[in-house]
Amino acid sequence: MIVLRYLLFPFAVLYGCVTSVRNWLYDIGILKSYSFNIPIIAVGNLNVGGTGKTPQIEYLIRLLSPDYKVATLSRGYKRKSSGFLLANTNTTAESLGDEPFQMHSKFPEITIAVDADRKNGIEKLLSLPQKPNVILLDDAFQHRRVKAGFYIVLTAFDDLFCDDLMLPTGMLREPRFGAKRADMIIVTKCPKDITELAIKKINERMMRFLVPRNDKVVQLYFSYIDYDDKVYNETTTQNVSEIKNTEKVLLAGIAKPKPFFDYLQSGKDEQLNYPDHHHFIDSDVQIITKKAANKVLITTEKDYVRLKHHAIRFLFYLPIKSNFISNSQTSQDQFDKNILHYVGTSSGNR
């Protein structure tokens, strides 16, 4: 597989040239970007998948929703619908997409919408009777047709964009220097006990691709995934400490499931691993039910919203949150202040 990736290196060079030209055409105005008179925060990445966008969007929802009417807009990856769709009491994970539906279930008071055409989606949101006063764009860093007011790029600790190559040799959607368009970069999924020395080394590697432009300095933050100490379903909860040493089945259909498995794994637990955003069909459920038998079955929150309507016994999910690591240069308080300052002082985009 590694040999094949390097044999495809000429195609990676070609893909990098195409995306660079596209970005240049947007930068000089030949390709048109559309701005809106509302604060818009775009969260995305340079790498393909697995950087923790959903926990970061949820963090922003918790930060902003007490004071602002928040809306999120994503494309609704692998949903069984098309065009603009607004979440309501009748929408499902299949029609909305698993991640937007997860956010709709957790934050029913905010507006959740999906549309592959972000410009059209924003226009639809702004035409609502109760229109939002801040919009969070999920997975939209390469969506240059809309010009957001604030860009956050995520890159995973064990898969930094600065060490990666373009598709299909590597996993980059665009060249590494594209990170200069960001206002913030968050290194996600760090070890909780990451050292100052490790942070310093990552800073040094990142800075090669973040040369200040127009007096703009990209801020660099570090975060980790914080697992809940309980698992949940629609009716009950259980402490992780109580079930960790009992025999159970662990199920994940996410891009990088190893941390989830490692957090819960004990003894002879069986692991069921499915592709990211997997649509569970009846034959899958039959296999899952047979494997689980009378054991507790624990899955991720994203998988739970796709499985709960199948009425699987003893099915629970483990919630996660994104939290920031404080170091000598940045902290969670600083991140919050910067976001709140942008939203509070911005009447539109840059």
Side-chain angles (χ1 to χ4, degrees), residues 304-323:
Y304 182 79
V305 299
R306 285 179 276 125
L307 281 169
K308 63 180 182 179
H309 68 278
H310 288 288
I312 300 172
R313 292 185 66 194
F314 309 124
L315 175 65
F316 292 83
Y317 68 89
L318 175 70
I320 62 173
K321 287 184 180 180
S322 176
N323 285 321

Side-chain angles (χ1 to χ4, degrees), residues 275-290:
D276 196 16
H277 301 280
H278 181 70
H279 281 297
F280 294 97
I281 59 177
D282 290 342
S283 59
D284 295 323
V285 174
Q286 289 174 6
I287 293 171
I288 292 167
T289 303
K290 184 177 180 180

Side-chain angles (χ1 to χ4, degrees), residues 94-110:
E94 287 72 25
S95 62
L96 199 66
D98 51 12
E99 289 165 342
F101 187 77
Q102 173 184 320
M103 288 187 278
H104 173 57
S105 301
K106 292 175 76 168
F107 307 102
E109 72 281 3
I110 75 163

Side-chain angles (χ1 to χ4, degrees), residues 227-233 236-243 263-264 298-299 316-320:
Y227 290 96
D228 205 306
D229 58 1
K230 293 182 179 180
V231 293
Y232 302 78
N233 61 24
T236 188
T237 66
Q238 289 195 43
N239 292 324
V240 169
S241 59
E242 294 174 356
I243 63 171
Y263 180 72
L264 293 168
I298 306 176
T299 189
F316 292 83
Y317 68 89
L318 175 70
I320 62 173

Side-chain angles (χ1 to χ4, degrees), residues 40-58:
I40 297 176
I41 301 174
V43 178
N45 48 17
L46 269 67
N47 310 70
V48 173
T51 56
K53 291 186 293 294
T54 300
Q56 188 57 51
I57 291 285
E58 291 183 355

